Coordinates of all heavy atoms in Angstrom, one line a residue:
Y81 N -25.1 19.9 20.0 CA -25.7 18.7 20.4 C -25.9 18.7 22.0 O -26.9 18.1 22.5 CB -24.9 17.5 20.0 CG -25.1 17.1 18.5 CD1 -23.9 17.0 17.7 CD2 -26.3 16.9 18.0 CE1 -24.0 16.6 16.4 CE2 -26.4 16.6 16.6 CZ -25.3 16.4 15.8 OH -25.4 16.1 14.5
K120 N -2.1 14.5 11.3 CA -0.7 14.7 11.7 C 0.1 13.5 11.3 O 1.3 13.7 10.9 CB -0.7 14.8 13.3 CG 0.7 14.9 13.8 CD 0.7 15.1 15.3 CE 0.3 13.8 16.0 NZ 1.4 12.7 15.9
A128 N 0.7 0.7 6.5 CA 0.3 -0.5 7.1 C 0.1 -0.3 8.6 O -0.9 -0.7 9.3 CB 1.3 -1.6 6.9
Y185 N -14.0 11.7 -1.7 CA -12.7 12.3 -1.9 C -11.6 11.3 -1.8 O -10.7 11.1 -2.7 CB -12.4 13.4 -0.9 CG -11.1 14.1 -1.0 CD1 -10.7 14.9 -2.1 CD2 -10.1 13.8 0.0 CE1 -9.4 15.5 -2.1 CE2 -8.9 14.4 -0.1 CZ -8.5 15.2 -1.1 OH -7.3 15.8 -1.2
E235 N -41.9 9.1 30.4 CA -43.0 9.5 31.3 C -44.3 8.6 31.0 O -45.0 8.2 31.9 CB -43.3 11.0 31.1 CG -42.2 11.9 31.7 CD -42.5 13.3 31.4 OE1 -43.3 13.6 30.5 OE2 -41.8 14.2 31.9
S244 N -50.0 -1.7 25.2 CA -51.1 -1.2 24.4 C -51.2 0.3 24.4 O -51.8 0.9 23.6 CB -52.4 -1.8 24.9 OG -52.6 -1.5 26.3
V264 N -26.4 -1.6 9.5 CA -25.3 -0.5 9.6 C -24.2 -1.0 10.5 O -23.0 -0.8 10.1 CB -26.0 0.8 10.1 CG1 -24.9 1.8 10.4 CG2 -26.9 1.4 9.0
A272 N -14.1 -1.9 10.0 CA -13.1 -1.9 11.0 C -12.2 -3.1 10.8 O -10.9 -2.9 10.9 CB -13.7 -1.9 12.4
F338 N -23.5 -15.3 26.1 CA -22.2 -15.5 26.6 C -21.7 -16.9 26.4 O -20.5 -17.1 26.1 CB -22.2 -15.2 28.1 CG -20.9 -15.5 28.9 CD1 -19.9 -14.6 28.7 CD2 -20.8 -16.6 29.6 CE1 -18.7 -14.9 29.4 CE2 -19.6 -16.9 30.3 CZ -18.5 -16.0 30.2
A342 N -18.4 -18.3 24.6 CA -17.5 -19.1 25.4 C -17.3 -20.5 24.8 O -16.3 -21.1 25.0 CB -18.1 -19.2 26.8
N360 N -1.9 -34.8 8.4 CA -2.6 -35.7 7.5 C -3.3 -36.9 8.3 O -3.9 -37.7 7.7 CB -1.7 -36.3 6.4 CG -1.2 -35.3 5.4 OD1 -2.0 -34.3 5.1 ND2 0.0 -35.4 4.9
Y363 N -7.8 -39.3 11.1 CA -8.6 -40.0 12.2 C -8.2 -39.5 13.6 O -9.0 -39.4 14.5 CB -8.4 -41.5 12.0 CG -9.1 -42.3 13.0 CD1 -10.5 -42.3 13.1 CD2 -8.5 -43.1 14.0 CE1 -11.3 -43.0 14.0 CE2 -9.2 -43.8 15.0 CZ -10.6 -43.7 15.0 OH -11.3 -44.4 15.9
L414 N -32.1 -12.1 13.1 CA -30.9 -12.9 13.4 C -31.2 -14.3 13.7 O -30.5 -15.2 13.2 CB -30.1 -12.2 14.5 CG -28.8 -12.9 14.8 CD1 -27.8 -12.8 13.6 CD2 -28.1 -12.2 16.0
K418 N -29.7 -17.5 11.8 CA -29.0 -18.5 12.5 C -29.6 -19.9 12.2 O -28.9 -20.9 12.1 CB -29.1 -18.3 14.0 CG -28.1 -17.2 14.5 CD -26.7 -17.6 14.5 CE -25.8 -16.6 15.0 NZ -24.4 -17.0 15.0
L421 N -28.4 -20.9 8.7 CA -27.0 -21.3 8.7 C -26.9 -22.6 9.5 O -26.0 -23.4 9.1 CB -26.2 -20.2 9.4 CG -26.1 -18.9 8.6 CD1 -25.3 -17.9 9.5 CD2 -25.4 -19.1 7.3
N440 N -21.2 -26.8 15.5 CA -21.7 -25.4 15.2 C -23.1 -25.4 14.7 O -23.9 -24.5 15.0 CB -20.7 -24.7 14.2 CG -19.5 -24.2 14.9 OD1 -19.5 -23.9 16.1 ND2 -18.4 -24.1 14.1
A441 N -23.5 -26.4 13.9 CA -24.8 -26.5 13.4 C -25.8 -26.7 14.6 O -26.8 -26.0 14.7 CB -24.9 -27.7 12.5
I449 N -33.9 -21.4 18.1 CA -35.1 -21.9 18.8 C -35.3 -21.1 20.1 O -36.5 -20.6 20.4 CB -35.0 -23.4 19.1 CG1 -35.0 -24.2 17.9 CG2 -36.2 -23.8 20.0 CD1 -34.7 -25.7 18.1
T451 N -34.4 -18.0 20.8 CA -34.8 -16.6 20.4 C -36.3 -16.6 20.1 O -37.0 -15.7 20.5 CB -33.9 -16.1 19.3 OG1 -32.6 -16.1 19.7 CG2 -34.3 -14.6 19.0
D466 N -53.0 -14.2 24.4 CA -52.7 -15.6 24.9 C -52.1 -16.4 23.8 O -51.4 -17.4 24.1 CB -54.0 -16.2 25.4 CG -54.5 -15.6 26.7 OD1 -53.7 -15.0 27.4 OD2 -55.7 -15.6 26.9
T483 N -32.6 -28.8 24.6 CA -31.3 -28.5 25.3 C -30.8 -29.6 26.1 O -29.6 -29.9 26.0 CB -31.5 -27.2 26.2 OG1 -32.1 -26.2 25.4 CG2 -30.2 -26.8 26.8
I493 N -21.6 -38.5 22.4 CA -20.8 -38.5 21.1 C -19.4 -38.2 21.5 O -18.5 -38.9 20.9 CB -21.4 -37.5 20.1 CG1 -22.7 -37.9 19.6 CG2 -20.4 -37.3 19.0 CD1 -23.4 -36.9 18.7
R502 N -16.3 -44.5 17.2 CA -17.0 -44.0 16.1 C -16.3 -44.2 14.8 O -16.3 -43.4 13.8 CB -17.3 -42.5 16.2 CG -18.1 -42.1 17.5 CD -18.6 -40.7 17.4 NE -19.7 -40.5 16.4 CZ -19.9 -39.4 15.7 NH1 -19.0 -38.4 15.8 NH2 -20.9 -39.3 14.9
L503 N -15.5 -45.3 14.8 CA -14.7 -45.6 13.6 C -15.5 -45.9 12.4 O -15.2 -45.5 11.3 CB -13.8 -46.8 13.9 CG -12.8 -47.3 12.8 CD1 -11.9 -46.1 12.4 CD2 -12.0 -48.5 13.2
M513 N -14.3 -36.7 3.8 CA -13.6 -36.0 4.8 C -12.1 -35.7 4.4 O -11.6 -34.6 4.7 CB -13.6 -36.9 6.1 CG -13.2 -36.2 7.4 SD -13.3 -37.4 8.8 CE -15.0 -37.7 8.9
S536 N -6.6 -16.3 -14.2 CA -6.0 -15.2 -14.8 C -4.9 -15.6 -15.8 O -4.5 -14.8 -16.6 CB -5.3 -14.3 -13.7 OG -4.3 -15.1 -13.0

Side-chain angles (χ1 to χ4, degrees):
Y81 282 127
K120 181 178 70 69
Y185 175 74
E235 291 172 347
S244 60
V264 170
F338 174 77
N360 292 326
Y363 182 62
L414 185 60
K418 284 287 185 182
L421 292 176
N440 280 333
I449 294 175
T451 302
D466 291 335
T483 305
I493 292 176
R502 300 193 75 212
L503 181 59
M513 195 179 295
S536 60

